[in-house]
Amino acid sequence: MLATIGRSIGSLPVDAADEDLFRALRTASPEESERIAALLVARHSGLVRWLASSYARRGVEIEELRQVAFVGLMLAIRRFDSDRGVDFATFASPTVRGEIQRHFRDRRRLIRLPRRLQELKAALGAAGDELVQTLGRWPRPAELAAFLHVDERDVREALAAEDTFTLPSIDDAVTEGAGPGLADTLGGPDARLDLVVDSHMLRGLLAGLPARDQEIVQLSFFDDQTQCQIGGRLGISQMQVSRLLKSALGRLRDQMDTAA
């Protein structure tokens, strides 16, 4: 991009300091303003790309994030006051971050913050832009609270509140870089889960059996009694117990197959 700007901008060389470029920007013609802004964008493109990359892997393409970040950089260029003695990169960073976060809030957010926190976060962004000009750094929570005349605890709550931008993909790597995806850590199907479902269903079907059949199933499978013991308890023969048990199990099996 530098090559397309030319060797000088008006009376300024392309290697002029940022503060000189911003001073020239105030009185420049529309054409010169575009060239100065383009030079500032080119100079700070590395910072913008780095800030955009810190928001990667949140469901938004990196190129889209970079475009939004460059919009934030242009906003910072328009707002910057070089007479306050603050380094431009220091001022631009929170402005670019704010624009990226606003992009997520407006288009990608799944869960909305309470209005109170939304309004405070917006006020904190504006206050931060103003205070960074004076302090030369991003203000601390106590300084933001004093500036806005609000409780510091509310400021900390708003700063800590994270909008939910997107749900992570189970194909995402667990750690940065290459490695197993989240899906690889979840394990495979567990047959025991089917037993839980079947047990829940069976409990309801058992309640529909005649009382004697319910008791035979209970004594046989849950109390571990033999058919002879069950017959003696119920006053029937072992053969009758076997026949009743077989009939009850067949009925339960048919009902479960139908339900499935």
Side-chain angles (χ1 to χ4, degrees), residues 5-239:
I5 295 174
R7 300 182 62 184
S8 65
I9 303 174
S11 59
L12 290 173
V14 294
D15 59 351
D18 280 355
E19 53 266 30
D20 294 331
L21 293 175
F22 278 105
R23 292 192 186 97
L25 194 59
R26 299 174 189 169
T27 57
S29 65
E31 181 180 352
E32 287 181 335
S33 294
E34 289 185 8
R35 298 176 67 189
I36 293 173
L39 177 56
L40 288 167
V41 168
R43 282 187 177 183
H44 297 281
S45 61
L47 172 66
V48 168
R49 292 176 183 276
W50 177 76
L51 290 173
S53 68
S54 67
Y55 290 87
R57 304 182 64 79
R58 297 192 184 186
V60 181
E61 294 293 333
I62 186 63
E63 281 304 317
E64 181 178 346
L65 290 176
R66 287 173 179 168
Q67 291 177 19
V68 174
F70 275 108
V71 170
L73 180 62
M74 290 302 300
L75 290 174
I77 290 173
R78 296 193 190 106
R79 297 172 182 171
F80 184 64
D81 184 353
S82 59
D83 288 341
R84 296 199 178 188
V86 178
D87 176 68
F88 174 67
T90 301
F91 172 79
S93 294
T95 305
V96 172
R97 287 186 183 276
E99 193 63 24
I100 296 174
Q101 291 169 354
R102 188 176 298 110
H103 178 73
F104 277 113
R105 288 197 300 269
D106 293 344
R107 302 190 181 188
R108 307 289 181 180
R109 185 167 55 203
L110 300 175
I111 300 174
R112 298 185 65 84
L113 291 174
R115 181 175 294 277
R116 174 181 65 86
L117 288 180
Q118 291 185 46
E119 293 174 350
L120 183 54
K121 283 174 72 71
L124 288 172
D129 285 349
E130 186 166 348
L131 286 174
V132 76
Q133 297 268 16
T134 303
L135 300 174
R137 56 172 172 77
W138 187 250
R140 300 183 179 90
E143 294 166 333
L144 288 166
F147 184 83
L148 294 174
H149 305 291
V150 297
D151 193 292
E152 183 180 344
R153 289 175 297 181
D154 293 335
V155 170
R156 291 185 179 277
E157 181 183 5
L159 292 174
E162 287 290 340
D163 294 343
T164 302
F165 298 143
T166 186
L167 293 175
S169 169
I170 62 172
D171 295 322
D172 288 346
V174 177
T175 56
E176 292 294 330
L182 179 60
D184 298 325
T185 69
L186 299 179
D190 191 338
R192 290 174 294 179
L193 294 178
D194 293 334
L195 293 178
V196 173
V197 176
D198 291 345
S199 298
H200 181 74
M201 184 186 301
L202 184 59
R203 187 177 296 111
L205 296 178
L206 278 170
L209 292 176
R212 187 170 64 173
D213 289 357
Q214 290 186 41
E215 187 173 5
I216 291 174
V217 172
Q218 172 71 36
L219 293 172
S220 179
F221 291 98
F222 296 94
D223 296 344
D224 294 324
Q225 293 195 18
T226 66
Q227 292 183 1
C228 290
Q229 290 172 323
I230 296 172
R233 179 167 179 168
L234 299 180
I236 58 177
S237 68
Q238 182 269 334
M239 186 173 294

